[in-house]
Amino acid sequence: MENRRKIKVLIIEDSEDDAELSRLELRRAGFDPVSARVDRSDELKKALAAESWDVLLADYNVPGMRLRDDLREIQTTLPDLPVIIVSGAIGEETAVELLRAGVRDYVPKTRLTHLGDVVRRELDDRDARSARKEAEAALRFSEERLRTVIENLPVGVIIADASGRLTHFNRIANEIWGGFKEVDLRSYDRYEAWWPDSGNKLTSKDWGMARALEKKESSFNERLRIRCFDGTFKTILHAATPILGPEGEVSGGVAVLRDISEQARAEESERFLSDSTRVLGLTLDLDSLLKTLSDVAVPRFADWNFIVLISEEGIPEKMAVRGPGARHDAANEFSEKYSIELTASAGLGHVLKTGQPEMYVNFSEQDLGLKDPRARAILAQMRIASYMIIPMKAGPRILGALAFGISESMRKFDSHDFWVAQELGRRASAAIENSILYRDAQQAIRLREEVLAVVSHDLKNPLAAVRLNADMLQRQLDRPSDPILKIRSAVDRMLEMIDEIVNMSKIQAGGLKLSIREEKTQTLLSEVVELMRPIANVKKISLEVHADSECPNIACDRMLLFRVFSNLIGNAIKFTPENGAVTVSCECDGRGVLFSVKDTGPGIAPDEVPYIFERYWQSKRASRKGAGLGLYIAKGIIEAHGGKIAVDSQVGRGTRFVFFIPLAEKGRGALRSSYRRGAA
């Protein structure tokens, strides 16, 4: 069955036969009409109110109806309802009047075969008008929605037409620039901007909008420094893209900008502080440090900088001055003639006394309360317009102060600058404190070296004389003398303790000097064991050697490594009871040689193991049998060789010390690194 187009038809007709003829003609034209017939005005109103009709067919001559009035009312209330007159002959004047009343067309009853085509055309026109209205309404809504979105975006939006004329600035764009200037493509440079990295000013053609319109080029996240219409400067991120028409032609352009001034300023402050921290850490010399600090601050942060330190006697000392250009001499002259009074109510003296920072956004010479007219005159030459003073402190102690001034850059310090200055002051305080501590440490090291020289020379010489005289006395006697043996033993112990103290100090100072040679591992181990065997025999302790025959040579200081073995084996013999055993072994792991000294002594308590390599440490559970420096020195010697030492001990079962020495070639590389670390 053929698909027919369903339509709802309202027919104004006093003849049912004529109405049926209209229906038949509509069916013949392919429609499936659902209709109603009315022949009075009141019925027409009810039918229009009750249903939604697709078309209205009206006979002009229906007794009892005011058709013209009814049609005018329909045109007002239902302007989209197609009205077609289906009637006998009517005059031209009547036809014009009916068209004015909203009639869409006229079909004589004598030519009803045209009715289907007329209805189809009117319905199509109605649908087209409806679609067009919907599209226009949707477009208006879309434009209004877009306008609302653009206006309320959290970024600036600028729109230009194809000629480059700026047609729209949203609210944020107006706020960023501080206004709006009507310009075209050739006068974009009325909006002043600079590339931050190069400092070059943008021409009209450099703007992203110009490149979008002329080259169809899109730009993204270009950072610019702009001068706003009120004279202030801002940093923005700028992007632009062309608006293309249906044929790919440029019909306009849109630019987006975001004010990142605070972000850019924070980033620059972080870079400034990071760079300051880095350069302040490059030296520990106080004079170099202060010069570096002044160089960091000027001109990147301020135009002027004064640095004052408090001496050990509590007297302010001007340490560094930095100023712009030719007026730097005025800063030096002011520094020399302006005495800092700690009793002052403002300025450097007040900050040095109270430890509280001060900021003068709008500075004048009167702010410092200077009584000396010459000092005021010199200060006036410096033209400082904004001024800050920041204390430098180490805990409660005031080390000095930093003073910053602005004159050349025509800006003023604000709360952010005040924070940056205080942060720089904290970092400078730490660097200066470290420098002072380093200076004091160097003085202490020199004093210690002098003391060590006295200990090594002035104490060893008398002991050597005592030892020599004891030997001479022994040779004059027929048999060994117990008192002389005790004297010799005491002298040897004293000399050993002096060597331990000297070595400990060298290890602490990183100045332990090694005489490196390539040594045969097995030979070295055999010699040191044979040297210690007599001591082990006295206590009837078995001293055994387990050496890997494949152990390669090592790079070491023979005498210092002998001291390590002597200490570890000596301790093992000392703390192992009679008839015990001490085993010395070595094995290669590919990177170096692993030595171990194992005993069957009482072992070390777990709570004491972490402390055995500390200076002067001795177990509380054993009698004191030395100065407590042996293991500390052994650890220092092994680490100076690029090795490591560890201990494994169980109470009641014994102790095992293990240490690692690199192979000859690898050892030399590790030692070179170790020397560099020590030298630093």
Side-chain angles (χ1 to χ4, degrees):
M1 183 177 181
E2 182 181 359
N3 289 329
R4 292 176 175 275
R5 183 177 178 180
K6 290 185 178 182
I7 58 173
K8 297 172 71 173
V9 183
L10 182 61
I11 302 175
I12 301 175
E13 179 62 69
D14 59 345
S15 169
E16 178 59 30
D17 291 340
D18 286 351
E20 182 59 27
L21 287 174
S22 295
R23 296 189 195 101
L24 289 172
E25 189 58 38
L26 290 174
R27 292 190 187 97
R28 188 190 65 79
F31 291 102
D32 182 11
V34 175
S35 64
R37 184 180 66 85
V38 296
D39 55 8
R40 294 200 311 273
S41 294
D42 59 337
E43 290 179 347
L44 175 64
K45 291 182 179 179
K46 290 180 181 179
L48 291 173
E51 293 285 348
S52 175
W53 302 95
D54 293 314
V55 66
L56 174 64
L57 305 180
D59 185 356
Y60 178 70
N61 296 304
V62 176
M65 288 195 70
R66 301 179 301 277
L67 186 60
R68 293 179 183 178
D69 295 337
D70 292 337
L71 291 179
R72 289 191 182 93
E73 186 176 347
I74 290 172
Q75 185 182 28
T76 302
T77 57
L78 298 169
D80 292 329
L81 177 63
V83 178
I84 301 170
I85 298 297
V86 181
S87 185
I90 59 174
E92 182 178 340
E93 185 177 339
T94 301
V96 170
E97 188 176 351
L98 289 173
L99 289 174
R100 288 176 178 172
V103 172
R104 303 295 301 178
D105 210 336
Y106 162 60
V107 177
K109 289 184 177 180
T110 58
R111 302 181 65 184
L112 273 179
T113 54
H114 295 286
L115 180 61
D117 293 336
V118 171
V119 169
R120 180 175 290 107
R121 185 187 67 237
E122 290 302 323
L123 290 177
D124 290 345
D125 287 348
R126 182 204 63 181
D127 292 343
R129 287 195 304 276
S130 178
R132 185 166 58 252
K133 288 181 179 179
E134 289 179 2
E136 290 172 352
L139 179 60
R140 286 194 299 273
F141 174 75
S142 178
E143 289 176 344
E144 183 60 32
R145 181 173 59 183
L146 179 60
R147 187 178 296 107
T148 302
V149 169
I150 290 175
E151 196 62 29
N152 290 279
L153 281 174
V155 294
V157 177
I158 302 173
I159 299 175
D161 61 19
S163 70
R165 186 175 62 88
L166 302 185
T167 59
H168 184 76
F169 256 52
N170 76 343
R171 177 178 55 85
I172 297 296
N174 270 285
E175 290 176 1
I176 290 175
W177 280 101
F180 169 70
K181 289 183 179 180
E182 291 190 6
V183 296
D184 57 24
L185 193 59
R186 293 170 297 178
S187 56
Y188 283 172
D189 56 0
R190 292 180 64 190
Y191 289 83
E192 293 184 279
W194 292 260
W195 301 109
D197 293 336
S198 66
N200 295 332
K201 191 174 183 180
L202 272 70
T203 65
S204 292
K205 293 185 177 181
D206 290 331
W207 276 102
M209 182 72 85
R211 304 196 317 263
L213 295 172
E214 292 185 331
K215 302 178 182 179
K216 293 187 180 181
E217 178 182 309
S218 295
S219 56
F220 302 96
N221 292 335
E222 293 181 336
R223 185 173 287 216
L224 301 174
R225 183 76 171 161
I226 66 171
R227 190 203 304 270
C228 303
F229 298 139
D230 61 1
T232 61
F233 287 86
K234 291 178 182 177
T235 301
I236 66 169
L237 278 182
H238 185 273
T241 191
I243 301 172
L244 302 180
E247 302 298 325
E249 76 280 7
V250 177
S251 61
V254 60
V256 176
L257 52 153
R258 182 160 62 93
D259 185 356
I260 60 166
S261 301
E262 290 302 317
Q263 174 189 334
R265 191 178 187 192
E267 289 172 355
E268 171 56 26
S269 298
E270 286 299 322
R271 282 195 297 270
F272 170 69
L273 292 172
S274 178
D275 293 344
S276 302
T277 302
R278 179 180 54 81
V279 298
L280 290 175
L282 295 177
T283 180
L284 286 171
D285 178 72
L286 185 58
D287 292 336
S288 299
L289 178 67
L290 295 176
K291 182 181 182 304
T292 298
L293 179 58
S294 197
D295 291 342
V296 164
V298 177
R300 188 171 174 182
F301 180 67
D303 299 328
W304 299 89
N305 174 236
F306 301 87
I307 302 177
V308 178
L309 294 184
I310 299 291
S311 68
E312 293 181 357
E313 294 77 21
I315 299 173
E317 296 180 348
K318 303 181 187 71
M319 304 298 294
V321 179
R322 181 80 182 272
R327 291 203 291 276
H328 179 74
D329 294 336
N332 277 322
E333 185 180 0
F334 178 76
S335 175
E336 293 170 0
K337 294 185 178 181
Y338 170 43
S339 59
I340 300 175
E341 298 292 339
L342 296 179
T343 57
S345 59
L348 276 166
H350 189 250
V351 171
L352 290 170
K353 179 183 177 182
T354 63
Q356 297 300 314
E358 295 179 359
M359 179 170 70
Y360 303 88
V361 176
N362 298 294
F363 177 76
S364 68
E365 298 82 48
Q366 288 75 25
D367 289 327
L368 297 184
L370 297 176
K371 298 178 181 179
D372 188 342
R374 293 175 301 173
R376 289 200 301 271
I378 297 170
L379 188 60
Q381 294 177 28
M382 295 164 61
R383 299 181 186 176
I384 295 179
S386 199
Y387 189 52
M388 291 187 298
I389 312 169
I390 308 299
M392 295 185 292
K393 298 188 287 186
R397 177 188 169 200
I398 298 176
L399 301 175
L402 295 172
F404 304 99
I406 286 180
S407 60
E408 302 290 313
S409 53
M410 301 302 293
R411 66 183 182 91
K412 299 294 178 66
F413 287 131
D414 58 19
S415 59
H416 181 78
D417 295 315
F418 200 37
W419 173 83
V420 172
Q422 292 181 76
E423 187 60 33
L424 178 61
R426 281 190 284 271
R427 300 181 187 205
S429 300
I432 290 172
E433 184 182 22
N434 289 338
S435 180
I436 293 172
L437 292 174
Y438 174 75
R439 181 191 63 190
D440 295 344
Q442 291 297 103
Q443 292 176 350
I445 288 171
R446 286 193 293 271
L447 178 60
R448 180 176 61 190
E449 288 176 348
E450 293 172 2
V451 171
L452 287 176
V454 171
V455 170
S456 181
H457 181 272
D458 293 355
L459 290 182
K460 274 190 171 183
N461 284 347
L463 288 172
V466 172
R467 182 68 158 78
L468 179 62
N469 282 285
D471 291 343
M472 292 175 60
L473 284 174
Q474 182 60 57
R475 284 196 295 270
Q476 293 174 8
L477 299 175
D478 296 334
R479 60 181 183 278
S481 170
D482 188 55
I484 292 176
L485 291 174
K486 289 181 178 179
I487 290 172
R488 291 168 62 181
S489 176
V491 169
D492 290 343
R493 182 59 188 144
M494 285 287 290
L495 291 171
E496 184 181 343
M497 291 178 67
I498 291 171
D499 287 339
E500 287 182 345
I501 292 173
V502 171
N503 284 331
M504 177 196 70
S505 300
K506 290 179 178 178
I507 290 171
Q508 281 183 289
L512 187 63
K513 295 180 180 179
L514 305 182
S515 178
I516 299 299
R517 292 191 310 171
E518 187 172 330
E519 299 286 346
K520 293 182 178 180
T521 302
Q522 284 183 302
T523 302
L524 183 70
L525 201 59
S526 298
E527 288 179 5
V528 74
V529 169
E530 290 307 314
L531 182 68
M532 302 300 295
R533 193 176 297 283
I535 302 174
N537 290 340
V538 171
K539 291 186 68 176
K540 300 177 181 180
I541 290 175
S542 171
L543 181 57
E544 300 178 0
V545 179
H546 294 161
D548 185 349
S549 60
E550 300 298 325
C551 274
N553 297 346
I554 59 173
C556 68
D557 184 313
R558 179 185 179 87
M559 295 306 297
L560 289 178
L561 203 58
F562 258 59
R563 177 176 289 277
V564 173
F565 277 115
S566 297
N567 183 281
L568 296 179
I569 297 173
N571 280 350
I573 294 172
K574 186 188 300 183
F575 292 104
T576 299
E578 289 189 2
N579 301 314
V582 175
T583 303
V584 183
S585 63
C586 69
E587 57 182 288
C588 180
D589 69 351
R591 298 176 299 112
V593 177
L594 198 64
F595 295 95
S596 73
V597 177
K598 182 179 179 182
D599 64 50
T600 58
I604 305 170
D607 61 330
E608 294 182 339
V609 169
Y611 308 104
I612 62 173
F613 293 110
E614 293 184 0
R615 288 176 297 160
Y616 308 118
W617 183 86
Q618 289 186 336
S619 173
K620 297 177 181 179
R621 298 176 175 87
S623 59
R624 297 182 65 87
K625 296 184 179 181
L629 293 174
L631 290 177
Y632 173 81
I633 293 171
K635 181 174 181 287
I637 293 172
I638 291 167
E639 289 177 349
H641 280 78
K644 294 182 179 180
I645 185 170
V647 62
D648 178 26
S649 184
Q650 293 182 340
V651 175
R653 300 187 64 180
T655 301
R656 180 173 179 256
F657 283 90
V658 180
F659 64 92
F660 171 83
I661 298 294
L663 297 181
E665 289 302 319
K666 294 182 180 178
R668 291 192 182 100
L671 288 170
R672 283 193 290 270
S673 298
S674 179
Y675 294 153
R676 286 194 292 270
R677 288 194 300 271

Short mmCIF file of all heavy atoms in Angstrom, two decimals, residues 84 152 215 307 332 398 409 437 563 575 590 603 617 634:
data_model
loop_
_atom_site.label_atom_id
_atom_site.label_comp_id
_atom_site.label_asym_id
_atom_site.label_seq_id
_atom_site.Cartn_x
_atom_site.Cartn_y
_atom_site.Cartn_z
N ILE A 84 -6.00 28.47 2.51
CA ILE A 84 -6.22 28.40 1.06
C ILE A 84 -7.73 28.56 0.79
O ILE A 84 -8.56 27.84 1.39
CB ILE A 84 -5.73 27.06 0.47
CG1 ILE A 84 -4.22 26.88 0.76
CG2 ILE A 84 -5.99 26.99 -1.03
CD1 ILE A 84 -3.71 25.49 0.42
N ASN A 152 32.30 35.95 30.24
CA ASN A 152 32.52 35.48 31.60
C ASN A 152 33.69 34.51 31.72
O ASN A 152 33.89 33.91 32.78
CB ASN A 152 31.25 34.82 32.14
CG ASN A 152 30.14 35.82 32.39
OD1 ASN A 152 30.12 36.50 33.41
ND2 ASN A 152 29.23 35.94 31.44
N LYS A 215 48.88 35.08 7.85
CA LYS A 215 49.56 33.83 7.48
C LYS A 215 48.76 32.57 7.86
O LYS A 215 49.27 31.46 7.69
CB LYS A 215 50.92 33.77 8.17
CG LYS A 215 51.84 34.93 7.84
CD LYS A 215 53.15 34.81 8.62
CE LYS A 215 54.07 35.98 8.35
NZ LYS A 215 55.34 35.86 9.13
N ILE A 307 75.99 46.15 53.03
CA ILE A 307 76.10 44.99 53.91
C ILE A 307 76.90 45.41 55.14
O ILE A 307 78.01 45.96 55.02
CB ILE A 307 76.79 43.80 53.22
CG1 ILE A 307 76.03 43.40 51.96
CG2 ILE A 307 76.88 42.61 54.17
CD1 ILE A 307 76.69 42.28 51.18
N ASN A 332 79.94 54.83 48.46
CA ASN A 332 81.14 54.59 49.26
C ASN A 332 81.40 55.75 50.21
O ASN A 332 81.76 55.53 51.38
CB ASN A 332 82.35 54.40 48.34
CG ASN A 332 82.46 52.97 47.83
OD1 ASN A 332 82.18 52.03 48.55
ND2 ASN A 332 82.84 52.82 46.58
N ILE A 398 72.45 38.41 66.31
CA ILE A 398 72.38 39.24 65.12
C ILE A 398 73.77 39.31 64.50
O ILE A 398 74.72 39.80 65.12
CB ILE A 398 71.86 40.65 65.46
CG1 ILE A 398 70.44 40.56 66.03
CG2 ILE A 398 71.88 41.54 64.22
CD1 ILE A 398 69.88 41.89 66.49
N SER A 409 65.53 52.24 38.75
CA SER A 409 64.50 51.45 38.07
C SER A 409 63.10 52.03 38.16
O SER A 409 62.16 51.47 37.60
CB SER A 409 64.50 50.02 38.63
OG SER A 409 64.37 50.04 40.05
N LEU A 437 81.92 30.02 60.81
CA LEU A 437 82.28 28.74 61.41
C LEU A 437 83.49 28.11 60.70
O LEU A 437 84.37 27.53 61.35
CB LEU A 437 81.08 27.78 61.34
CG LEU A 437 79.89 28.13 62.22
CD1 LEU A 437 78.72 27.19 61.95
CD2 LEU A 437 80.27 28.07 63.71
N ARG A 563 98.94 -1.51 60.62
CA ARG A 563 98.37 -1.00 61.88
C ARG A 563 96.94 -1.53 62.04
O ARG A 563 96.53 -1.87 63.16
CB ARG A 563 98.39 0.52 61.88
CG ARG A 563 97.74 1.15 63.11
CD ARG A 563 97.87 2.65 63.10
NE ARG A 563 99.23 3.07 63.35
CZ ARG A 563 99.77 3.19 64.58
NH1 ARG A 563 99.03 2.93 65.64
NH2 ARG A 563 101.00 3.57 64.74
N PHE A 575 91.15 -10.15 73.97
CA PHE A 575 89.86 -10.48 74.57
C PHE A 575 89.50 -11.97 74.47
O PHE A 575 88.46 -12.38 74.97
CB PHE A 575 88.76 -9.64 73.92
CG PHE A 575 88.86 -8.18 74.25
CD1 PHE A 575 89.34 -7.27 73.31
CD2 PHE A 575 88.51 -7.70 75.50
CE1 PHE A 575 89.45 -5.93 73.62
CE2 PHE A 575 88.62 -6.36 75.81
CZ PHE A 575 89.09 -5.46 74.87
N GLY A 590 86.16 -10.32 43.18
CA GLY A 590 86.14 -9.72 41.85
C GLY A 590 86.38 -8.23 41.86
O GLY A 590 86.91 -7.67 40.90
N GLY A 603 82.61 -12.08 72.75
CA GLY A 603 81.64 -11.40 71.88
C GLY A 603 81.29 -10.01 72.40
O GLY A 603 81.68 -9.60 73.49
N TRP A 617 85.50 5.10 72.51
CA TRP A 617 84.48 4.18 73.04
C TRP A 617 85.15 2.91 73.58
O TRP A 617 86.05 2.33 72.95
CB TRP A 617 83.48 3.79 71.97
CG TRP A 617 82.38 2.90 72.52
CD1 TRP A 617 81.24 3.29 73.13
CD2 TRP A 617 82.39 1.47 72.57
NE1 TRP A 617 80.51 2.23 73.53
CE2 TRP A 617 81.20 1.07 73.21
CE3 TRP A 617 83.29 0.49 72.16
CZ2 TRP A 617 80.87 -0.26 73.44
CZ3 TRP A 617 82.97 -0.84 72.38
CH2 TRP A 617 81.76 -1.21 73.00
N ALA A 634 91.38 2.34 62.76
CA ALA A 634 91.33 1.28 61.75
C ALA A 634 90.26 1.59 60.71
O ALA A 634 90.50 1.42 59.49
CB ALA A 634 91.04 -0.05 62.43
#
